[in-house]
Amino acid sequence: MAGGSSINVLEQFELHPVLGGLGEALSLSQAPIFMVVACVLVLAFLHFGMKPAAVVPGRLQAAAEICYEFIHNLAVDTIGPEGTAFFPFIFALFFFILAGNYLGLIPFSYTFTSHIAVTFALALMVFLIAIIVSLKVQGFKFFAHFMPAGAPVLLAPLLVPIEILSFLSRPVSLSIRLFANMVAGHVMFDIFASFVIMLAGLGFIGDVLAVGPLVINIALMGLELLVGALQAYVFAILTCIYLREAVSH
Amino acid sequence: MRNPVSLIRHSLVAGVSSLPLLMAAAPGAHAAGMPQLDFRNPLLTGQVIWGAGIFLFFYLALRSWALPKVDTVLASRSQRINGDLDQARAAKVDADNAVRELNETKKAAAAEAQAHLDAVLDEERKQTASRLAELGSKLEVEIASAEKAVAEERSRALESLKPIASDVTEALVQKLTGTKPDRVRIEAAVAKVAAEKSTISAIA
């Protein structure tokens, strides 16, 4: 935020201990609190949405059912029939990220998906699960994927390292994509919000000029709503693609 | 293949338990400026551990509590819709059968009524013809009897006319000639004319 005449747009990503000494001892910051809030919101949405269990659903129930069917179709259409077993995992992943992204858009809140540690942990979890499933389903045939079928054996010393590097870069690209999008969006918010405050300090002309960055910030909010959903979807569909490769023989 | 759900659960547990190793490796990656890269901050690594636990709880809550509720509602709705559709199809088949039976019954009743009507009309026609024949023969007998009576009455009338005609002829001849004519000849002439007249009327 703007501190005096300088702007520190990265301040919003700082972690602060909560619950005083107990929080410090447990390394408990606002990030896990918002994670809990995100999970509770999603669970409450499903619980209260499905509470009527009506044959003709109301708005909230219809929304809960649409979310369920959207992720279920995503998992089954992308992974195949085995996707049903992975559906709760994909659902958890998608809504954990989506709720995290959207919670961060509320003023004075915190975006836990703007931390590379969190996004990388999620990506690493997906990566490890995909490897474990691959090894269970395909056995040692899994390693054959590092040598493209039909390629000359002479090119193996070149192709195999490239394929391994490409494979290992999956969690990196997966995590950085989400992290970078979230950070960029929130930095933009902070910059244009600081412009509004700084211009407002210039008197009447400043007040008029401050409308520009304010309008941009409103437009950015719309964009970030789109980006938040899109990034959660990208993360979920890439997870489905990795799992499809893992379960295919 | 092992159950993918248990695979995910074990992978999550393995991931959570391997996080302390990641924490131990993280502090060297500090970059000044971005709080997200300050791996010396215990809160940063702490949020990953807390996050892993929270995500594990979230996944288990979804898998065993929240998502089955949605699944149950969707399954029961699908079952109900299919049941209603089956009932509707069965009702349609019943209705079609009832309409077909009704049409067949109507057709049979119409045919029976027509046959009954034909039989009644035929019987009535026969009875009418019989009555007409009976009436005709009766009328013929009566006509014949009446004609006979008329003929008798006529001949009787003609017979009673002869003396009158003879008397009139005798009187006329006497008036005209002044002499009394032969009665026998007059009666013969009247009889002859009466015979001619009765022959002509019989021919007519």
Side-chain angles (χ1 to χ4, degrees), chain A:
Chain A
M1 285 290 178
S5 60
S6 67
I7 304 169
N8 184 2
V9 292
L10 299 175
E11 193 182 25
Q12 59 180 314
F13 303 115
E14 283 177 3
L15 292 164
H16 305 288
V18 292
L19 302 175
L22 181 67
E24 274 187 50
L26 295 172
S27 299
L28 185 65
S29 60
Q30 76 273 36
I33 302 298
F34 276 97
M35 287 177 192
V36 170
V37 170
C39 294
V40 167
L41 283 175
V42 175
L43 291 172
F45 165 61
L46 289 176
H47 174 70
F48 290 110
M50 298 313 295
K51 205 172 183 181
V55 176
V56 180
R59 285 179 187 173
L60 197 61
Q61 185 182 337
E65 288 176 9
I66 287 168
C67 291
Y68 178 96
E69 286 177 340
F70 171 66
I71 301 297
H72 190 269
N73 292 341
L74 175 72
V76 173
D77 292 349
T78 313
I79 301 172
E82 297 92 342
T84 308
F86 294 105
F87 161 63
F89 175 63
I90 306 295
F91 192 96
L93 203 58
F94 177 83
F95 277 98
F96 187 72
I97 295 169
L98 183 74
N101 293 348
Y102 278 178
L103 270 182
L105 295 177
I106 300 169
F108 305 108
S109 68
Y110 177 78
T111 320
F112 58 82
T113 46
S114 65
H115 268 248
I116 184 71
V118 173
T119 59
F120 187 75
L122 289 170
L124 192 63
M125 175 180 67
V126 169
F127 183 69
L128 290 175
I129 287 171
I131 290 176
I132 292 166
V133 173
S134 295
L135 289 172
K136 287 283 179 188
V137 174
Q138 303 171 25
F140 283 105
K141 282 185 183 175
F142 162 67
F143 296 103
H145 293 303
F146 294 119
M147 180 63 195
V153 182
L154 280 174
L155 287 175
L158 182 66
L159 290 176
V160 171
I162 290 172
E163 286 294 324
I164 291 172
L165 197 65
S166 160
F167 183 73
L168 292 175
S169 69
R170 282 178 176 182
V172 178
S173 64
L174 201 58
S175 57
I176 288 178
R177 186 183 297 110
L178 177 59
F179 156 73
N181 272 285
M182 289 304 107
V183 169
H186 286 269
V187 166
M188 294 278 278
F189 270 135
D190 214 332
I191 288 171
F192 284 101
S194 304
F195 284 170
V196 174
I197 294 166
M198 288 163 73
L199 286 168
L202 297 177
F204 177 73
I205 298 293
D207 287 345
V208 173
L209 291 175
V211 173
L214 184 66
V215 169
I216 290 173
N217 244 3
I218 292 167
L220 270 177
M221 177 61 85
L223 181 70
E224 280 305 300
L225 283 169
L226 177 70
V227 169
L230 198 66
Q231 286 308 313
Y233 179 73
V234 167
F235 206 101
I237 200 164
L238 283 172
T239 303
C240 289
I241 290 169
Y242 298 157
L243 288 170
R244 182 186 62 194
E245 287 178 11
V247 296
S248 61
H249 292 82

Side-chain angles (χ1 to χ4, degrees), chain A residues 26 31 47 55 65 115 125, chain B residues 12 36 47 50 69 71 77:
Chain A
L26 295 172
H47 174 70
V55 176
E65 288 176 9
H115 268 248
M125 175 180 67
Chain B
L12 285 171
Q36 296 100 318
Q47 73 169 340
W50 279 106
K69 283 169 79 170
D71 189 47
R77 179 184 301 147

